[in-house]
């Protein structure tokens, strides 16, 4: 069959009819909202390259969390900017660390919100790399020990899920083992499985104060040119016990999302990262794009590609728009 019998425009003639045949619908349950917590009190510092996103002290974080909860966003992912950094990133597993405090406060005030924590060392190391250095290289296996301690410390504080984003080999297994040994066999791991060495993380590094002091992350994050390698990363993480796998960034990697979706029935997350957010905000401020329309198109494309969950700084505005629609 074909034209003139088939006329696909017939089902596009009214909004109601379009709604009936729409394949992809966004909902608040799709989103995970990233938040940045800092030591101190009364702090709410806007991140310059991420308009509408803030570094928050724990008290302010709770105020924002109230809004997140009222929008019925199921989960947040927390990033911490610590008071002190050292070569070993040891404040990452301090029980009095800012993330640990934020977790306890969040679970006390809003127990229904799922608290996920980013497990990585780049925010906690003086050199800004995601692990322990040996010379100028990140030393894989000693880093695993510290990541596992960090994950256990988050679990003790009450985190509902941990999300390793460092890209060390074997970290999902090391974290799984440590959690199990400490009585947290029920705690899921969301693995940043296919995390690319991307220029799109630029604004985040200002937000998390985690820019590497020398070199870059190409020695551990993935080469943007590789898609089949992503399937290996995902398979390894699943074999090591990942409950949710992730592709990051999202937009330049929609093909990778689709391929991972075809590979595994595990829930798949995609991270719509800081640079992707910043581009939309910048173009919208310049009056070059329709912000709401472009944002919803982007989020829809990530879901259509195969993501079950979208980590996005747009989560709150998207939920407001969805409730108006
Ligand atoms: C930590 C981490 C990064 C992001 C999430 N976890 C930065 C990086 O790897 O440099 C980026 C998130 C974003 O850009 O929104 N390793």
């Amino acid at each position: 069959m074909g034209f003139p019998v088939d006329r696909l425009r017939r089902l596009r003639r009214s909004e109601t009819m379009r709604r009936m045949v729409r394949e992809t619908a966004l909902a608040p349950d799709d989103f995970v909202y990233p938040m940045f917590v800092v030591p101190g009190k009364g702090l709410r510092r806007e991140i310059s390259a991420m308009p509408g996103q803030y570094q928050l002290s724990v008290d302010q974080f709770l105020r924002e969390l109230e809004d997140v909860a009222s929008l019925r966003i199921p989960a947040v992912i927390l990033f911490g900017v610590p008071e002190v950094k050292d070569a070993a990133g040891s404040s990452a597993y301090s029980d009095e660390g800012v993330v640990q405090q934020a977790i306890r406060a969040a679970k006390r005030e809003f127990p229904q919100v799922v608290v996920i924590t980013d497990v990585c060392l780049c925010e906690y190391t003086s050199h800004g790399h995601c692990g322990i250095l040996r010379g100028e290289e990140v030393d894989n296996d000693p880093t695993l020990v510290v990541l596992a301690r960090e994950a256990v410390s988050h679990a003790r504080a009450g985190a509902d899920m941990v999300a390793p984003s460092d890209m060390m080999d074997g970290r999902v297994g090391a974290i799984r083992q440590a959690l199990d040994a400490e009585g947290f066999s029920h705690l899921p791991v969301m693995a940043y499985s296919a995390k690319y060495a991307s220029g799109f993380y630029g604004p985040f590094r200002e937000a998390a104060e985690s820019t590497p002091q020398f070199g870059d992350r190409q020695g551990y994050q993935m080469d943007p040119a590789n898609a089949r390698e992503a399937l290996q990363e995902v398979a390894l993480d699943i074999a090591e016990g990942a409950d949710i796998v992730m592709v990051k960034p999202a937009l330049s990697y929609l093909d990778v999302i689709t391929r991972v979706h075809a590979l595994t029935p595990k829930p798949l997350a995609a991270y719509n990262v800081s640079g992707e957010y910043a581009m939309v905000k910048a173009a919208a401020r310049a009056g070059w794009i329709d912000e709401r329309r472009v944002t919803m198109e982007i989020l829809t494309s990530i879901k259509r590609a195969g993501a079950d969950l979208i980590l996005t700084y747009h989560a709150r505005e998207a939920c407001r728009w969805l409730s108006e629609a």
Side-chain angles (χ1 to χ4, degrees), residues 79 118 120 122 130 165 192 195 200-201 204-205 217 221 248 271 273-274 313:
F79 298 92
D118 186 82
C120 193
C122 61
C130 301
S165 68
Y192 286 72
K195 177 173 178 182
F200 288 100
Y201 307 149
F204 172 93
R205 291 180 186 171
R217 304 210 203 287
Q221 299 180 347
K248 172 185 176 195
Y271 201 139
V273 299
S274 58
Y313 306 98

Side-chain angles (χ1 to χ4, degrees), residues 40-74:
K41 246 195 128 162
L43 293 176
R44 190 167 186 272
R45 282 197 297 262
E46 190 164 28
I47 299 150
S48 61
M50 301 172 71
Q53 306 305 315
Y54 299 83
Q55 288 184 328
L56 302 161
S57 54
V58 172
D59 55 306
Q60 298 295 307
F61 157 71
L62 287 177
R63 287 180 48 179
E64 305 266 316
L65 202 56
E66 183 171 6
D67 182 57
V68 172
S70 74
L71 290 165
R72 308 187 64 84
I73 294 172

Side-chain angles (χ1 to χ4, degrees), residues 37-180:
V37 288
V38 296
K41 246 195 128 162
L43 293 176
R44 190 167 186 272
R45 282 197 297 262
E46 190 164 28
I47 299 150
S48 61
M50 301 172 71
Q53 306 305 315
Y54 299 83
Q55 288 184 328
L56 302 161
S57 54
V58 172
D59 55 306
Q60 298 295 307
F61 157 71
L62 287 177
R63 287 180 48 179
E64 305 266 316
L65 202 56
E66 183 171 6
D67 182 57
V68 172
S70 74
L71 290 165
R72 308 187 64 84
I73 294 172
V76 294
I77 181 162
L78 300 186
F79 298 92
V81 184
E83 215 135 9
V84 285
K85 305 190 185 216
D86 60 24
S90 50
S91 61
Y93 50 82
S94 156
D95 288 336
E96 290 312 311
V98 68
V99 165
Q100 286 82 354
Q101 290 180 36
I103 299 165
R104 286 193 291 265
K107 293 316 295 181
R108 189 174 60 233
E109 304 286 331
F110 303 100
Q112 76 278 24
V113 177
V114 168
V115 174
I116 308 173
T117 58
D118 186 82
V119 174
C120 193
L121 297 186
C122 61
E123 299 109 291
Y124 304 95
T125 51
S126 42
H127 44 74
H129 278 287
C130 301
I132 309 292
L133 294 184
R134 181 165 171 196
E136 297 228 317
E137 264 197 57
V138 174
D139 200 357
N140 196 89
D141 298 9
T143 299
L144 300 182
V145 179
V146 187
L147 291 169
R149 283 183 77 170
E150 181 182 9
V152 167
S153 158
H154 292 170
R156 282 209 186 101
D160 297 298
M161 195 184 302
V162 293
S165 68
D166 52 284
M167 288 303 276
M168 297 303 116
D169 289 322
R171 91 274 205 212
V172 173
I175 288 171
R176 183 71 273 158
Q177 241 184 354
L179 289 173
D180 291 358

